[in-house]
Amino acid sequence: MVPLIAVFLGILIGAVVMLLSGYNPIAGYSALLRGIFSDSYYIGETIRTMTPLILSGLAVAFAFRTGLFNIGVEGQVIVGWLASVYVGIAFELPKIIHLPMAILVGAIAGALWGFVPGLLKARFQVHEVIVTIMMNYIALYTANYLIRAYLLVPGERTETISPSASLASPFLESMTDYSRLHYGFIVAAIGCLVMWFLLWRTSKGYELRAVGFNQHASRYAGMNVERNIVLSMIISGSFAGVAGAMEGLGTYGYMSILSGFSGIGFDGIAVALLGANTAVGVVFASFLFGGLQIGALNMQSRAGVPTELIDIVIALIIFFVASSYIIRWVMNRIKKEGI
Amino acid sequence: MDIMQILALVIPAAIYAAAPLILTALGGLFSERSGVVNIGLEGLMVVGAFTGIVVTLALEGMGLGIASTWIAMIAAVVIGALFSLFHAVASITFRADQIVSGVALNFLAVGLTVFLIRLFYGKGQTDYIRNRIYREDVPFLSDIPIIGPLFFANAYVTSYIAIALTLVVYYVVFYTPFGLRLRSVGEHPMAADTMGIHVNKMRYIGVMLSGAFAGLGGAVFAVTVSGNFSGTTIVGQGFMALAALIFGKWNPLGVLGAALFFGLAQALSITGAQIPLLANVPSVFLLIAPYVLTILALAGFVGRAEAPKAIGKPYVKGSR
Amino acid sequence: MSYVIEMNNIRKEFPGIVANDNITLQLKKGEIHALLGENGAGKSTLMNVLFGLYQPEKGEIVVRGERVEITDPNVANRLGIGMVHQHFMLVDKFTVTENIILGNEPKKAGRINIKKAAKEVEEISNRYGLKVDPHAKIENISVGMQQRVEILKTLYRGADILIFDEPTAVLTPQEIQELINIMKMLVKEGKSIILITHKLKEIMSVCDRCTVIRRGKGIGTVEVKDTDPDKLAEMMVGREVNFGVEKEPAQPKDVVLSVKDLIVKDARGVNAVNKLNLDMKSGEIIGLAGVDGNGQSELIEAITGLRKVETGTISLNGKNITNYKPRRVTESGIGHIPEDRHKHGLVLDFTIGENMVLQTYYQKPFSSSGILNYPEIYNKARELIEDFDVRTPSELTPARALSGGNQQKGIIAREVDRSPDFLIAAQPTRGLDVGAIESIHRRLVMERDKGRAVLLMSLELDEILNVSDRIAVMYEGEIVAIVDADKTNEKELGLLMAGGQTRKEGEAE
Amino acid sequence: AGEEEAPGTEEDPMTEETAPEEEEAVGAEDFTVGMVTDVGGIDDKSFNQSSWEGLVEFGQEFGLEEGTDYRYLQSSDIAEFEPNLRNLVREDVNLVWGIGYLMEDAIRTIAQQVEEAQLAIVDSVVTDEEGTPISNIANITFKEHEGSFLVGVAAGLQTEGNKVGFIGGVEGALIKKFENGFKAGVKAVNPDAEIIVQYAESFNNPDRGAQIANTMYSQGADIIYHAAGDTGNGLFTEAINRARNDENVWAIGVDRDQHEEGEYGDGQSVTLTSMVKRVDTAVYLVSERTMNGDFPGGEILEYGLDDEAVGIAPSTDNMSEEALQAVEKYKAQIQAGDISVPQSDEEYEEYLSSL
Ligand SMILES: Nc1ncnc2c1ncn2[C@@H]1O[C@H](COP(=O)(O)OP(=O)(O)OP(=O)(O)O)[C@@H](O)[C@H]1O
Ligand SMILES: Nc1ncnc2c1ncn2[C@@H]1O[C@H](COP(=O)(O)OP(=O)(O)OP(=O)(O)O)[C@@H](O)[C@H]1O
Ligand SMILES: [Mg+2]
Ligand SMILES: [Mg+2]
């Protein structure tokens, strides 16, 4: 209930902003909606946008569940992207091996990037927030350097990966009127299951959560706190790495030199928080994010409303979800006094 | 280049790059010392940079000259403080998760400012301002041998302001009743409450000060470094400021040191390409050096940074 | 009759609960007034209302004959009401002086005049015999010292009505005695005191009158000299309470746990346990007595694998388990009811059900091949909740929502259920009401009778004397004496704990 | 460098292989054209802005309506290139422009999927897997090296310390053309001059730009040329900083006349000159051709000195008479084919040895 009200309030205030600044909110929002649902192309694009967001959201959510704040998802996405693309370019293998291997290597790269802050936190109690911020920059510059030095082709990017490592699907593309929809959404769906299962159905997940909540009690109960912290960051990082692989193997088929952060990791923070750090919540939140971002393009194109309006709406939605306490309080008041 | 020349190049550049970080991190210090995490520093800087540029442009247009820039910086302080109310209301009064609220603030800041820029100017970025803060030699002091050229020649007034404010903040936080109360609220709000201190009021003040300082930080960045405003003017400086705050262990002097360290590493990474000794090092190593060094420093000699105890938790009377 | 405080018909509700229901409490000038009630009866709530932290829904407060609205602690301070809270309200990183002056700082040119403040603190502390170092940091001083700081805080503000909320729960016997002396002196100075405590003996020895509340309702006020502990307890819980622990004489058999020449260092690197030797047999309860800080905690941590053993050995049933990891220690057959239930005993955000398998979640039937079996976990949880009378709405309730007594019962259920050969119970009844204490003591004796060895660490001599079969007294990291519980008394133990020699008179202070 | 026909902006700049196209002239009343900018947007003081100016001029000339008949979409990150381009294509816009070489992949994908679309790209040549240009994409490129050569000549003549600098945005084939053209120009008139080169690894980091310029000036370079987009604005900041402290330093602008960016005090400017690149002209011309049914799909249009599409800016206050004359002289020589301006590092090496 609260998330719905939050979305409604965010959209409502967005409409007010449009009105105040001389746009027609009805035209704006109908263009937005058409830009999400009106035909298969938009639906395809929305799902494609959601795919990495789901995975980066899972990465953040997983860490959160185990008491860690992984701001480093962005960097883990970047290294995962690069590593998977490298595997896609460097090897010639049958698809059944090549594709899983490329995704796996993306995951490993992300895991490695998560391992560093995890280890530092476990061994030296270094605050994971700064280390992950630093690791983001290191990932960005290192990836750009590696591309420029070893993988560059004209166009500021790496070569295109071999088809045997690609998630792209002419079938899905033609189904959706040439959107860039690829099989990555299946990977994302599996990711959700994995996260849920790992956290809530395995004894390792029990340990990870226990350590996240109370390290002293976990140590008392014979768990290895340090190892669990590191493991948690590794798992979180692998989700992020796979998110990167979705871009590398699915959407683009290559990696460009990045002029700045991809944004996938930072959006992942918002997605996770909006989705209350649950797998299902993350899916819904990514849909909201992905849909709004794709719809915003149509809104700009058809109704002339700047895409930034959507950033405002998203911010407000996050704000209202976070303020659920007050929404509930108001709802209680209304219930008591009304009727 | 000889060593003196390199230092004369790198040290002023470090101070120059550090100034916005110092200011913003000092802002974060007020907020976090009062017990409110502030991931929203980035967004507050955005708002500060936006205000700094928009106000300067407007006043310049009215013919105020360099005064417009100074007025704009003051405006950024005010607007930054007001904008931070968003975070304050959400995380203090509405008891929102402070991290979530900060993330929302960042999104809102970028969306809103760029939206407004489009509304005001019909395009995605502003023009360049004409009245920037430029470098000056400090009279007399710049003539001192060695120290002069390093610290007092070719310097920005704003850097001195940042350093002076650091000392002021240090004094306020550790030597005044206000500082003691602010810290007590961040350490043990219930204890403060029983001593008759209004916890939420102190936290509002802390967060609004963070808005004021980060707003100034953003404005200083805009009027000394970027000269105009767009959605990409502030990219990550707020997070670096947050890192400086943690690296500096929530202590103003530590923050100053951390920010200068970041500034130095950054200046070296740029200048390094032209320093004979470093010229053959692949530029990527220089680029990532600040970040790697920070991590090593944290793991090695700086060690564990202890955050204010009650940080991140909304204060609800009577809960334990 | 003039009262300094009259709280008339106070009602205070929390969502779903009426914490105070029409309670009346009247405090005379110069008296020590006890407030007694089970855990959760509403004592702290009532006092927080008086102190301005909560606003009552109904009722009036009259201070020195005038009706007042105490809207926040500032008002209370102005009225001369000071409170020493159940959970200390001290900022760890601040100095003693800073904590005392907080909110009321002497100023000089805009800055805190710390010199003047420290001097004032010193003056007050000398006047009332509350020795403290004004410049020490709270995190570096003992609990007893911290309590003095709490008292100084109220005195610094000129309070003449003092509320003490369970001040003795965390103190050593010596410290308790000191506190009692201080309280007596304070009333002599004309101050009035409300004292909350679960220890009926304390009430009997220092208080003039006692108000009893039960489940939020006022039961009545009695003159202490006209009553006795049994009557008080009955008033409090509504039935007769049996204090003495009923048990048969112990029938010790083989040595279960044997500690030889153990040396353990504490966090500062000092030998906290120093060449300690101790044997514990099955079928007996050994009480571990000692003043807080004499190495008891470190000894237990060393046995359970939470702290490194420098030299010496620990063996369980003849098997050397020195420096085993906590998990192997547990699996070898040791149960541990930890001293700090919130820090070590529970994951407060887990459900009480999940907490019931904190030691066994990875074993069959709770999980197989790494996959958890929740139906089994919750079956077990329901069973334990039933058996150990843990009062919780359901096994799915977060542990955080349970009262301290019930949290403790949950931990005991979990540890006892694994049938360990050796059970450590560290301060198992701290802060609990007599009803809860009674059931926990019974449970420990039951375990003994099943043939287990039980180590009971407690700072309460009553508890040690009542429950143990033999008592080991620890002093400066060593066991200085082992005595039979029925052949000793409080006085002797107190002497031993202070470092005096057995049966040698005249060495005590 | 290819041979060109007579100069003049009114005429078709390219006639090499006018592939016969099927489509009819649409006529001004129904013709629609759109462009997709990269992150910079239409006010980036650089080529997005220039492209848009070309399109606006075209629209106004032929009475089209802004927003419906001609318009632009701004991308807020590279992931949006393709959806934005496709949005226009899906709306059956007659000609869709992608501005900047980064859009190469997006344009290629769409062109191959939607064969009836008519697309154009600036600063790049889009080829299929075999390396042949794709038939429904018009490729617009510029001879930036030629223009850069001319500003190099100016710098070579006006430097006083015999040291000049070049700041590149992101290293790659495109910016190398600027670098090598510039270096060749400097060496042509001043073989002893030393040239410091540094890449900022970013097109939108004026902060780095300023610090790089600072270092170069400190080492004695007195003229710096940039091809670094927004990063280059840091160069002007630094140059002004120094000029205000009475140092004798200059900056050379790029893409547009950057005289204004260098202004300080009353009416002075640190901008020595700028290398202009008339993307607007190219956009205008190709749009017009397409409207007239002559879409240059599959062609590589290379605009150079001949078309006045690259060259030196009109503001010449700060140039010496000698430099202006030399620039004219070398311009004629390049047009005549007497000088072949190097584009890549290898060509530059060759060029040096031929001096
Ligand atoms: N902040 C709160 N929110 C909701 N309910 C509360 C709160 N504080 C106390 N209560 C409720 O009020 C009742 C009385 O609590 P209180 O802390 O006053 O008990 P107490 O008598 O001090 O117990 P103890 O002896 O354990 O200290 C409790 O049963 C609890 O349910
Ligand atoms: N903040 C709170 N919100 C809701 N319920 C509370 C809160 N604090 C306490 N309670 C409720 O109060 C009851 C008794 O709590 P209380 O903390 O007084 O127990 P306790 O035995 O005194 O615990 P402790 O030993 O930790 O002091 C419990 O049933 C618990 O659910
Ligand atoms: Mg209690
Ligand atoms: Mg209580």
Side-chain angles (χ1 to χ4, degrees), chain A residues 136-156:
Chain A
N136 283 340
Y137 289 96
I138 298 175
L140 177 66
Y141 293 123
T142 312
N144 280 352
Y145 169 74
L146 290 176
I147 297 174
R148 193 168 290 126
Y150 302 106
L151 299 165
L152 196 68
V153 297
E156 296 290 299

Side-chain angles (χ1 to χ4, degrees), chain B residues 318 320, chain C residues 14 17 19 38-45 54 86 166 198:
Chain B
R320 3 169 178 157
Chain C
F14 290 114
I17 258 184
E38 292 185 277
N39 292 129
K43 307 177 296 289
S44 300
T45 306
Y54 296 150
Q86 181 170 1
E166 284 193 45
H198 291 296

Side-chain angles (χ1 to χ4, degrees), chain B residues 319-320, chain C residues 39-40 86-87 341-342 401-405 431:
Chain B
S319 78
R320 3 169 178 157
Chain C
N39 292 129
Q86 181 170 1
H87 306 279
R341 53 179 169 266
H342 287 176
L402 267 59
S403 75

Side-chain angles (χ1 to χ4, degrees), chain C residues 77 92 126 133-134 207 227 292 324 330 355 367 388 446:
Chain C
N77 285 331
D92 282 356
N126 285 340
D133 170 5
C207 297
T227 187
D292 199 9
Y324 271 23
T330 310
N355 270 297
S367 64
F388 287 77
M446 255 168 77

